[in-house]
Amino acid sequence: MVARKELECVIAETDGEGITWVTLNRPEKRNAMSPQLHYDMEEVMMEVEVDPDTKVIVLTGAGNSWSAGMDLRDYFRATDGNPGEQFRSFTANRHWSWDILSNSRKPTIAMVNGYCFGGAFIPLCACDIVVTDQDAIYGLSEINWGILPGGIVSKVIVDVMSHRDALFYAMTGRTFDGAKAVEMKLANIAVPGDKLRDETIALARELMEKNPTVLAYTKQAVRAVEGMDTNLAYEYLRAKSQALQFVDQAGTREHGMTEFLDKKTYRPGFSAVKVTKD
Ligand code: ACO
Ligand code: V55
């Protein structure tokens, strides 16, 4: 992938290590999501997904905001009389912020650097892990606009937040900060703003130590079993485990066992199995 891809509303940059920073880039509009931003993101997310140099995807925002949600002017009001354009932009939104992001084979980290409102909860919940500025401001503000948390916002919040928290924040529109987001388990880690990037890089590096195939299968497995009963999950996980053994050409499983059982050079649980690239 080119080191830096510049579109109208998004910047994608891959560093030398394998972290691709995808930055929503409408800082003057607090990264409110316009139709053009959705079209740009559709392109970028598919490209980083298939880019061999991208090992970890970090989604963040330019300026003091992660994203102020849907652009009330360009996404809603401007498309009110135009069902064709509305379908195009609503579908592009759903495609990148849910379908592509939540099905990514690579680790996805939301690095929430500031405001996160309304429709921004869709990509927030789609990411695997959320690292947040402890002072970032979150809100399900739809109620204050006379709309309900649409798209798939209501769905993703009940799946990630508790039933009580989802109802409370959707009904009141009250805001909460990053520290509270972690307390509610909507986010994983809250840090002061000046530590946000370093904390995210440390996490990304930790993930890059794992075998990428094992990591992809692990996240797919955890996500897939959520909607299954226990017997179905057992059968699925058995088949998925066997599929992993088949596709992991590095033989991470065998390698780990040999190192631990025979060579005694490795203690699993403390660090990832080191396998030279196949
Ligand atoms: N849609 C359209 N424009 C927006 C949005 C938005 N969601 N959020 C901010 N903007 C624009 C403002 O209109 C303003 O534009 P202008 O400079 O052309 O006048 C610019 O971004 C800066 O916004 P300010 O309000 O001046 O910035 P401030 O830093 O004071 O506040 C904040 C930021 C808190 C995010 C505020 O803009 C806000 O409350 N935005 C709306 C957030 C929201 O409720 N989003 C959910 C929308 S509904 C949904 O997503 C389904
Ligand atoms: C929202 C609403 C939408 C959408 C995406 O409430 C997000 C947020 C009504 O459509 O497409």
Side-chain angles (χ1 to χ4, degrees):
M1 170 164 172
V2 285
R4 183 184 177 95
K5 184 177 174 71
E6 229 166 322
L7 295 159
E8 207 177 308
C9 307
V10 179
I11 301 170
E13 304 167 274
T14 305
D15 67 9
E17 289 184 69
I19 306 175
T20 291
W21 301 85
V22 177
T23 305
L24 305 176
N25 190 34
R26 297 182 75 213
E28 68 294 343
K29 298 289 183 187
R30 305 299 179 262
N31 308 316
M33 299 186 232
S34 61
Q36 189 58 51
L37 182 140
H38 292 309
Y39 303 142
D40 288 357
M41 281 301 284
E42 223 177 356
E43 209 176 296
V44 162
M45 288 311 300
M46 190 55 91
E47 198 168 310
V48 301
E49 181 58 33
V50 301
D51 168 35
D53 298 332
T54 299
K55 310 293 184 210
V56 175
I57 300 166
V58 178
L59 181 58
T60 191
N64 68 346
S65 182
W66 195 65
S67 171
M70 292 310 127
D71 189 304
L72 293 154
R73 187 197 306 274
D74 297 347
Y75 185 81
F76 288 126
R77 196 164 69 181
T79 66
D80 273 350
N82 189 345
E85 181 59 19
Q86 194 168 71
F87 183 83
R88 269 163 58 87
S89 56
F90 280 31
T91 303
N93 175 19
R94 174 176 164 178
H95 194 211
W96 82 260
S97 70
W98 188 257
D99 301 341
I100 301 177
L101 195 51
S102 75
N103 285 298
S104 174
R105 301 157 303 163
K106 301 174 181 184
T108 53
I109 303 172
M111 185 178 86
V112 182
N113 55 302
Y115 299 115
C116 176
F117 280 108
F121 276 68
I122 303 173
L124 180 80
C125 293
C127 285
D128 299 321
I129 299 175
V130 178
V131 183
T132 183
D133 184 329
Q134 63 194 17
D135 298 319
I137 302 291
Y138 295 73
L140 290 160
S141 54
E142 283 89 342
I143 189 82
N144 299 326
W145 296 105
I147 60 178
L148 56 77
I152 52 168
V153 173
S154 292
K155 175 62 180 163
V156 300
I157 61 164
V158 289
D159 286 350
V160 174
M161 302 171 82
S162 79
H163 176 84
R164 292 251 168 267
D165 289 331
L167 279 169
F168 181 80
Y169 287 101
M171 292 173 70
T172 61
R174 279 196 202 175
T175 59
F176 52 91
D177 65 15
K180 179 73 183 174
V182 169
E183 194 186 304
M184 292 191 289
K185 304 189 196 301
L186 175 63
N188 297 95
I189 302 169
V191 290
D194 60 357
K195 299 274 185 321
L196 186 60
R197 210 180 150 85
D198 285 349
E199 189 73 28
T200 304
I201 291 171
L203 172 63
R205 285 184 180 149
E206 189 179 340
L207 293 165
M208 287 191 288
E209 299 227 320
K210 316 294 184 196
N211 176 279
T213 307
V214 181
L215 199 52
Y217 272 58
T218 297
K219 53 175 280 190
Q220 286 163 353
V222 171
R223 286 171 176 276
V225 295
E226 203 151 20
M228 293 181 194
D229 67 42
T230 307
N231 287 324
L232 183 57
Y234 179 84
E235 288 305 329
Y236 159 83
L237 290 170
R238 179 104 190 90
K240 188 79 175 168
S241 301
Q242 288 175 328
L244 174 56
Q245 236 179 305
F246 183 74
V247 300
D248 177 18
Q249 299 190 348
T252 313
R253 180 178 183 275
E254 288 69 26
H255 191 86
M257 287 196 203
T258 305
E259 293 248 311
F260 180 68
L261 297 172
D262 306 326
K263 298 185 187 160
K264 301 195 182 292
T265 50
Y266 170 59
R267 294 245 183 271
F270 299 141
S271 58
V273 194
K274 290 280 174 276
V275 186
T276 45
K277 262 219 166 326
D278 46 69

